[in-house]
Amino acid sequence: MTTHVQRLAEFAVACRDKGLPGQVRDDVTGRVLDVLGNCLAAYAEPDGDAAPAVLRAVLRWGGVEEASAIGSGHRLPAPSAALVNGTLAHALDYDDTHLPSVLHPSAPVVPAALAAAEATGASGAALVSAVAAGVEVCNRLGMASYLPEARNSLFFEKGQHATSICGTLGAAVAAGLLFGLSADGIAHAAGVAASMGAGLIEANRTGGTIKRVHCGWAAHSGVSAAVLALEGVTGPPTVLEGRFGFFEAWLDGRFDESALLSDLGERWELLRTVYKPYPTNHFTHPAIDCAVALRAGGLSPDDVEEIELGVPAPVLRTIAEPREDKINPRSPYHAKFSGPYTVAAALYGGGGLGLALDDFASLAPERLELAGRVRCVADERASEIFPQAFAAVMRVRLRDGSTLEHRVDSSRGGPEHPLTAEELAVKFRTNAGRLLPQDQVDALVTAVADLPSAPSASPLLRLTVAR
C-alpha cells in the first residue's frame, strides 16, 4: 500500500519531471520575488536583531561555501544559508499567507530551494518546480490540520507554529528535488524532516525574537534532511499517518486525509496563498483596513475618545492579549502583533500601501497613547468568516459624542481583494530598494521573471548581494 508520504513524494517528482501548469509556474516566480524583497528589506532593518545574530552564529560554525546569505556577501554551507535566508524571509512578518490554514509557506520553502539550487547549480525551471512542490506539500499539511468546526488550525489551538512545523517538510521536499532525489528519496527526506520541525507561538503574545528564526530553522532543517537522505538516512514510510507519526504527535491523530491527498497536481493550494500589503501579523490587516478607510473619510486621531475593535474570537489571543503588552509593545517588532498599536499607526497615516516598514522603526509616543484607547472584542460576524478570510469592524466614539463605524469582511490582499500586479511591484521595489541601487532592483525583477528559462538559478542570488 502506498503511504501518505509516498503519495506526496510521487506528486513532487511529477512536478519536476512532467512540468507545471502555466498558472502555477507564473505564481511561483511572484513568490520568489516577494521572498527576495522581504529578505533584502529585513537585512536593512534597523530593528533586525535576529537575522544578524543568526548570521554570526553560522559564521562561527563555518563549513563549505555552497550558497549565498542574501545581502551579506557571505557564502555558506547550504543548510546555513537556508537558515539565514529563511530568518530574513520571516523577520518582518511581511511574508505570504495560505488560507484557511494560516501558514506562511514561502518563507521556509523558497530559502531552502534557493540554497539547494545554488549548491547544485540547478536550472531556473528546476528551482520553480521545487518551490511549487514544496509550497503545495506545506499547504496540504496545513489544510489537513484545519478544523472546520473550530474555524482554526489544531496546531494553533495547541500553541504550535504550523508554519515552521509543516514548512520543514515542504522545505525538505523542495531541497530533495533539487538534489536529484527519486520519489523514494523524497519520501525519506520528508520522513527525516518530520523529526526536525518545531515551533511555539508564545512569542506572539509576550515577546522574544525566536519566532523570526522559525522559518529559517525550517529551511535549515529541510535542506539538512534532504542531504541526510541523499547520503542514506531513511525515514519511516508511515511517518505521517502512523501510530507515532506526524499527525498523532502534533494533532492527537486528528487530520483530514482528503485535504492532504485529494486531487494532487490538479487542485493547487499554492494558488490560495495571498500576499501581505502591510508588514504586520496578518490578523491585524482588516483592522488596519478599517483605520485606513476611516482616516480617508476624514477621521483625525485627535478626535478619538475610544475605539472598539471587533475581530474573530480565535485571533484575540494573538493581537489583543495580554492587553498590557499589546497597548505597550516591548519593541517595534512586537507592535506588529498588536491590534491596538497597528490601528493607531494606521490612523496616524503610513507609507507604502497604507503602512510600511518605516512606520515601525520606533514606537511613537502619540501612537502608544492612542493604542491605549483601543479595546479589542470578539465580533460574531468576523468569527463566522474566519479563517476563510480575515474580517474586522471598528467602532469609534468621538470626543463630541458622535460615532463612526467601518466593517471589512475580507482584508486587502485577501481572497476577495487580491493585490494587483502594480501593488506587488510597489511592495517589492520599496523593500529591495532599502538595500540595493535601482539598477540592481531592476535586474533582479528581470532575473526572476526569466527564471523558468534560465540555465542556472545562481545569478539570482549574486544579484542580491550588497556591494
Side-chain angles (χ1 to χ4, degrees):
M1 182 180 296
T2 302
T3 66
H4 293 358
V5 75
Q6 289 166 345
R7 288 275 304 278
L8 294 174
E10 290 168 359
F11 155 75
V13 169
C15 291
R16 179 183 64 194
D17 296 347
K18 297 181 180 179
L20 303 170
Q23 184 183 10
V24 172
R25 183 180 61 246
D26 294 343
D27 184 90
V28 168
T29 58
R31 301 208 179 275
V32 172
L33 191 69
D34 192 58
V35 167
L36 291 174
N38 291 338
C39 288
L40 290 165
Y43 192 80
E45 179 70 7
D47 184 43
D49 51 348
V54 169
L55 178 60
R56 291 193 299 271
V58 299
L59 290 174
R60 288 172 64 98
W61 300 344
V64 178
E65 296 182 355
E66 296 179 306
S68 302
I70 292 173
S72 71
H74 292 288
R75 286 176 55 78
L76 305 163
S80 294
L83 174 55
V84 174
N85 295 340
T87 301
L88 288 167
H90 191 56
L92 301 177
D93 230 80
Y94 217 174
D95 40 334
D96 59 18
T97 305
H98 174 266
L99 299 177
S101 70
V102 197
L103 286 169
H104 305 292
S106 295
V109 173
V110 172
L114 288 172
E118 193 174 7
T120 59
S123 69
L127 171 65
V128 171
S129 296
V131 170
V135 168
E136 187 67 15
V137 167
C138 177
N139 287 351
R140 291 295 186 120
L141 289 167
M143 283 303 298
S145 76
Y146 173 66
L147 302 177
E149 66 274 17
R151 294 191 177 91
N152 204 4
S153 164
L154 185 54
F155 283 112
F156 290 107
E157 289 293 316
K158 295 165 68 70
Q160 299 157 352
H161 193 188
T163 296
S164 55
I165 296 167
C166 300
T168 299
L169 275 72
V173 167
L177 288 174
L178 290 160
F179 281 115
L181 295 178
S182 65
D184 284 345
I186 298 294
H188 285 308
V192 172
S195 288
M196 299 179 172
L200 303 177
I201 54 175
E202 181 65 12
N204 283 358
R205 299 180 68 252
T206 56
T209 61
I210 183 56
K211 181 180 175 290
R212 306 189 206 190
V213 186
H214 281 182
C215 288
W217 194 253
H220 171 274
S221 298
V223 175
S224 298
V227 173
L228 289 171
L230 181 67
E231 297 297 341
V233 177
T234 60
T238 53
V239 68
L240 296 179
E241 71 273 29
R243 173 65 181 85
F244 299 111
F246 181 92
F247 292 119
E248 183 65 38
W250 291 112
L251 307 175
D252 302 322
R254 300 170 66 187
F255 72 100
D256 185 338
E257 182 177 325
S258 177
L260 178 70
L261 298 175
S262 67
D263 302 323
L264 279 168
E266 299 176 15
R267 173 178 58 81
W268 286 84
E269 291 295 334
L270 165 79
L271 299 176
R272 298 174 63 187
T273 308
V274 301
Y275 294 98
K276 284 186 176 183
Y278 316 122
T280 62
N281 177 266
H282 222 147
F283 294 158
T284 69
H285 283 211
I288 294 169
D289 290 341
C290 289
V292 168
L294 289 173
R295 177 178 170 81
L299 176 62
S300 168
D302 295 335
D303 297 332
V304 174
E305 180 68 27
E306 183 183 45
I307 296 173
E308 180 184 86
L309 175 62
V311 298
V315 314
L316 286 171
R317 73 191 79 177
T318 300
I319 69 170
E321 300 168 358
R323 174 171 169 77
E324 284 305 311
D325 284 346
K326 296 306 179 181
I327 63 175
N328 294 291
R330 301 178 184 215
S331 69
Y333 176 77
H334 195 210
K336 297 180 180 188
F337 294 83
S338 164
Y341 189 88
T342 52
V343 162
L347 283 175
Y348 271 100
L353 297 175
L355 272 184
L357 292 167
D358 290 344
D359 297 311
F360 293 89
S362 63
L363 296 173
E366 68 275 9
R367 296 179 183 185
L368 288 167
E369 193 278 330
L370 181 57
R373 287 182 268 144
V374 178
R375 181 169 56 90
C376 298
V377 299
D379 178 75
E380 183 176 354
R381 181 164 154 185
S383 298
E384 287 289 330
I385 294 170
F386 182 85
Q388 301 297 330
F390 298 151
V393 60
M394 187 178 296
R395 302 181 179 94
V396 183
R397 182 162 57 89
L398 304 179
R399 296 190 188 279
D400 64 8
S402 62
T403 60
L404 296 171
E405 180 174 322
H406 188 83
R407 181 179 286 275
V408 167
D409 285 341
S410 179
S411 61
R412 184 183 185 189
E416 302 300 323
H417 304 287
L419 295 185
T420 66
E422 292 76 16
E423 289 171 324
L424 286 171
V426 168
K427 176 182 175 181
F428 173 75
R429 291 183 180 279
T430 302
N431 281 345
R434 300 183 105 207
L435 187 65
L436 298 180
Q438 189 61 50
D439 62 332
Q440 282 190 292
V441 173
D442 294 340
L444 190 51
V445 171
T446 300
V448 173
D450 292 343
L451 263 181
S453 60
S456 172
S458 296
L460 188 67
L461 274 296
R462 288 200 292 270
L463 280 168
T464 66
V465 175
R467 291 186 294 189

